[in-house]
Amino acid sequence: MLRRRRLVPAARMPQAGQTVHLPRGPELWLRFPLGPSSLLGRWMMRDCEKAPRPWINANLLAGRYKSFIWLTSDNMHHQWLLLAACFWVIFMFMVASKFITLTFKDPDVYGVKQEPLMLTAMTKVEKIQVPEEKCLPEEFQPTGKVFSEDPMHQSLVHVKRIELLRNVCRDAALRNLSHTTVSKFVLDRIFVCDKHKILFCQTPKVGNTQWKKVLIVLNGAFSSIEEIPENIVHDHEKNGLPRLSSFSDSEIQKRLNLYFKFFIVRDPFERLISAFKDKFVHNPRFEPWYRHEIAPGIIRKYRKNRTETKGLQFEDFVRYLGDPNHRWLDVQFGDHIIHWVTYVELCAPCEITYSVIGHHETLEDDAPYILKEAGIDHLVSYPTIPPGITVYNKTKVERYFSGISKRDIRRLYARFEGDFKLFGYREPDFLLN
């Protein structure tokens, strides 16, 4: 129990209008809650020292005390206002930052091979008797929205794509560029929807995020695409999308033989530009390893000007991808290379018989067609595609390749020639010659 401090006899707190005798010295400070070291105490001591004789008007002390309380309260009020303003500025900055990220986000968001996993029975390529054409007719070139509303015309386009793919797969001169082993690396790229018997091969930088959302809904993890959090889509432990590699060999073969299989492609060079921007320039998903681990590795080996201190440039990226000996770096980078390796390395289109191959440039028509062919068009819809976002942008391609030597561009094309030929994309003569 606290003992009460003993005061000087007959001492009371001065009231306004009362004249009292206050002894000088330290006894005075026993009568007030604040000691002589406080601001109020210094004011009172100064007035007491100035007062004639030991008689002092309590009005003076009461006024001082009230002034002090008012100033203290006013200062605290301003401090709270300042603190609230700081929190408001920080909140607005976070909102603005999020808005900028969404506004300037890459619209496209809308390897060394591992030891092969030998399957007991490989999917056989169907024998289709077709003319030995090497490229699609002009009307079928995938450079924009070319489909009509006629369903027969759409079906014809997709049949032509499969025919072209089979012809190129049989071309012995392109075998090294069109064939690969169905390894675990490939099976890791294929997502499974057992409920509706669908296999989807992931080809990054071709709008795969939206297709993953479609499969997540079909698998029952969420009731609609709008409900799926963005951070769940690419979290393969939480999105409910099993990979084909997670099944036994016999189960893998059964699904490859019986399920509806599809993947999406786009112009190979435009895809590389998208990968470079997304991983080394904007990096909207905050994946620091691309800038801090992969980029320095590329720069050390492929940058010509060693005095240049800028981050990874597109020229460095192209030189790395076009190097015939790029694989030793691929081993170090691991599965991160999926964003820029060829479609052949990702999906093995000559080894696996795919049902449909969609094109990013005609996705407005391809997406509904794929949903219908898979028998799920009545269950889910592909998210709305902003107008013009999928159209091939030749100007952008020219701008990115403008400062790169013809030698480096030709070496890059030599690596991706299989992708150009297999899926009917025109050879980029405007860059090569």
Side-chain angles (χ1 to χ4, degrees):
M1 186 172 180
L2 296 176
R3 296 185 60 186
R4 193 172 175 183
R5 184 185 294 268
R6 184 182 182 91
L7 300 180
V8 176
R12 292 185 179 179
M13 289 294 294
Q15 301 296 321
Q18 178 185 2
T19 301
V20 297
H21 174 266
L22 296 177
R24 293 182 181 272
E27 298 89 346
L28 172 65
W29 310 111
L30 299 177
R31 300 174 182 270
F32 296 96
L34 301 177
S37 61
S38 66
L39 178 61
L40 177 60
R42 288 197 299 271
W43 285 358
M44 289 182 173
M45 178 176 284
R46 184 190 61 187
D47 291 327
C48 289
E49 292 296 333
K50 291 181 180 179
R53 306 183 63 82
W55 296 93
I56 186 168
N57 193 315
N59 279 330
L60 181 61
L61 294 180
R64 285 291 185 181
Y65 188 77
K66 291 179 180 179
S67 297
F68 174 80
I69 296 300
W70 182 85
L71 288 173
T72 303
S73 175
D74 189 57
N75 287 339
M76 292 181 63
H77 178 70
H78 282 81
Q79 289 175 357
W80 279 109
L81 286 179
L82 181 61
L83 185 61
C86 290
F87 276 113
W88 176 253
V89 170
I90 293 173
F91 173 76
M92 293 303 296
F93 176 79
M94 293 173 63
V95 172
S97 175
K98 183 66 176 177
F99 173 78
I100 292 173
T101 299
L102 293 176
T103 303
F104 295 99
K105 190 176 182 179
D106 190 351
D108 305 319
V109 172
Y110 182 70
V112 76
K113 301 170 190 166
Q114 303 178 24
E115 288 300 318
L117 175 63
M118 300 307 297
L119 303 180
T120 55
M122 187 60 61
T123 304
K124 294 183 178 179
V125 177
E126 297 177 0
K127 302 298 183 181
I128 305 176
Q129 297 299 325
V130 294
E132 293 293 325
E133 54 188 350
K134 298 299 181 183
C135 61
L136 289 174
E138 186 71 19
E139 61 176 313
F140 297 123
Q141 288 286 359
T143 56
K145 186 176 176 63
V146 296
F147 287 174
S148 69
E149 297 298 326
D150 184 4
M152 292 299 295
H153 180 75
Q154 294 184 18
S155 298
L156 177 61
V157 169
H158 286 283
V159 169
K160 287 287 186 181
R161 288 176 180 174
I162 297 297
E163 290 177 356
L164 173 64
L165 175 69
R166 300 302 169 217
N167 288 334
V168 176
C169 288
R170 291 194 291 264
D171 189 341
L174 294 172
R175 184 171 182 82
N176 289 338
L177 296 173
S178 60
H179 288 261
T180 190
T181 304
V182 183
S183 64
K184 185 177 183 300
F185 181 84
V186 173
L187 298 176
D188 279 342
R189 311 279 76 79
I190 301 177
F191 295 100
V192 182
C193 176
D194 280 327
K195 186 176 181 179
H196 298 281
K197 293 180 168 48
I198 296 173
L199 299 180
F200 167 62
C201 184
Q202 176 189 21
T203 50
K205 316 324 307 166
V206 191
N208 281 258
T209 299
Q210 307 304 332
W211 284 110
K212 282 186 178 181
K213 291 180 179 180
V214 169
L215 293 182
I216 290 172
V217 171
L218 290 175
N219 276 348
F222 291 88
S223 59
S224 68
I225 289 176
E226 292 74 23
E227 295 178 6
I228 305 174
E230 289 295 326
N231 62 319
I232 295 294
V233 179
H234 300 287
D235 188 337
H236 300 301
E237 295 182 356
K238 299 180 180 179
N239 62 16
L241 293 180
R243 299 174 189 261
L244 191 56
S245 59
S246 64
F247 297 89
S248 66
D249 288 1
S250 59
E251 291 295 316
I252 291 172
Q253 190 60 52
K254 182 180 73 173
R255 287 165 174 77
L256 287 174
N257 287 333
L258 301 178
Y259 282 18
F260 177 87
K261 303 171 288 294
F262 77 100
F263 66 99
I264 313 296
V265 297
R266 73 186 295 187
D267 178 87
F269 280 6
E270 193 172 33
R271 172 175 170 255
L272 294 180
I273 293 172
S274 175
F276 174 78
K277 289 167 54 182
D278 183 62
K279 300 306 176 186
F280 300 106
V281 180
H282 302 312
N283 202 344
R285 291 184 191 145
F286 305 105
E287 301 165 309
W289 47 88
Y290 286 101
R291 291 182 181 176
H292 299 260
E293 298 177 19
I294 295 178
I298 297 175
I299 291 172
R300 279 192 299 269
K301 182 169 176 59
Y302 295 102
R303 176 159 294 179
K304 290 182 177 180
N305 184 3
R306 298 293 180 177
T307 62
E308 178 62 64
T309 58
K310 292 182 180 179
L312 185 71
Q313 301 298 297
F314 190 64
E315 181 181 9
D316 307 322
F317 190 56
V318 167
R319 198 172 292 120
Y320 150 60
L321 295 178
D323 183 2
N325 300 314
H326 63 85
R327 295 190 182 278
W328 75 274
L329 268 186
D330 291 349
V331 173
Q332 299 179 39
F333 298 158
D335 280 0
H336 298 308
I337 63 174
I338 66 172
H339 298 281
W340 51 76
V341 298
T342 65
Y343 300 128
V344 172
E345 294 170 280
L346 290 170
C347 298
C350 289
E351 284 68 39
I352 298 175
T353 305
Y354 285 93
S355 311
V356 175
I357 299 172
H359 283 251
H360 185 263
E361 294 82 1
T362 55
L363 194 58
E364 293 91 339
D365 297 294
D366 286 4
Y369 179 84
I370 291 171
L371 296 178
K372 182 178 179 181
E373 289 296 301
I376 55 174
D377 55 322
H378 63 291
L379 299 174
V380 66
S381 298
Y382 190 83
T384 303
I385 303 171
I389 201 171
T390 62
V391 176
Y392 173 71
N393 190 337
K394 180 180 178 181
T395 302
K396 178 178 67 176
V397 175
E398 288 179 319
R399 184 174 72 253
Y400 269 84
F401 281 91
S402 61
I404 300 175
S405 69
K406 297 297 181 184
R407 171 183 172 274
D408 289 336
I409 297 177
R410 292 191 184 102
R411 292 178 68 174
L412 182 69
Y413 178 75
R415 179 181 176 186
F416 287 86
E417 183 180 5
D419 284 357
F420 278 93
K421 300 289 188 183
L422 284 166
F423 306 111
Y425 286 99
R426 300 186 185 100
E427 182 177 317
D429 291 329
F430 63 96
L431 298 177
L432 299 172
N433 302 317

